[in-house]
Amino acid sequence: QVQLVESGGGLVQAGGSLRLSCAASGGTFTTYAMGWFRRAPGKEREFVARINRNGGDRAYADSVKGRFTISRDWAQNTMYLQMDSLKPEDTAVYYCAAGMMYGLGSTVESDYDYWGQGTQVTVSS
């Protein structure tokens, strides 16, 4: 029912910024909690950030806290990840995810029902 498409990835120098977008279609955007995950080369996919369906509760992985900001726009059916002060260790494929949850959301992959294809973020030193 729901399709997710990420965009906004690219190559940036350390200390720079990128803004990722996740466009949703085919579902009721406001009923889904959403999150961002990433997979670095040779590593497992890991949690980055999440936001609840109302947009009032957000959580971040310790590695990105204070540098990344998750948000959502109901009118545009789009979720964003603003990434500032980027580090080389942020290099990964970034994925957006959505799930119909009645709580605040989740940091684990298995709780999400829909996934995007991913967008590459590369940070050089």
Side-chain angles (χ1 to χ4, degrees):
Q1 291 287 95
V2 177
Q3 294 80 45
L4 305 175
V5 180
E6 304 96 336
S7 63
L11 176 64
V12 64
Q13 292 188 349
S17 298
L18 284 174
R19 188 178 187 87
L20 305 184
S21 298
C22 175
S25 63
T28 306
F29 183 70
T30 58
T31 66
Y32 291 91
M34 302 187 73
W36 289 96
F37 293 77
R38 67 186 182 186
R39 183 190 295 132
K43 299 181 65 177
E44 72 285 351
R45 185 184 289 174
E46 64 180 2
F47 166 76
V48 176
R50 66 150 181 84
I51 188 167
N52 75 321
R53 65 179 187 174
N54 295 321
D57 188 80
R58 287 159 284 191
Y60 303 89
D62 289 340
S63 59
V64 307
K65 193 174 299 181
R67 300 187 296 118
F68 291 11
T69 303
I70 188 172
S71 62
R72 62 194 297 173
D73 186 318
W74 288 265
Q76 298 294 323
N77 282 359
T78 302
M79 177 179 65
Y80 302 96
L81 185 68
Q82 177 67 43
M83 305 186 295
D84 298 320
S85 301
L86 283 163
K87 305 175 180 179
E89 50 263 47
D90 294 318
T91 295
V93 176
Y94 284 71
Y95 301 86
C96 67
M100 194 170 185
M101 308 174 197
Y102 292 96
L104 298 179
S106 177
T107 64
V108 299
E109 296 182 35
S110 60
D111 287 338
Y112 291 88
D113 302 303
Y114 306 100
W115 292 84
Q117 295 295 110
T119 185
Q120 176 70 236
V121 172
T122 303
V123 184
S124 62
S125 60

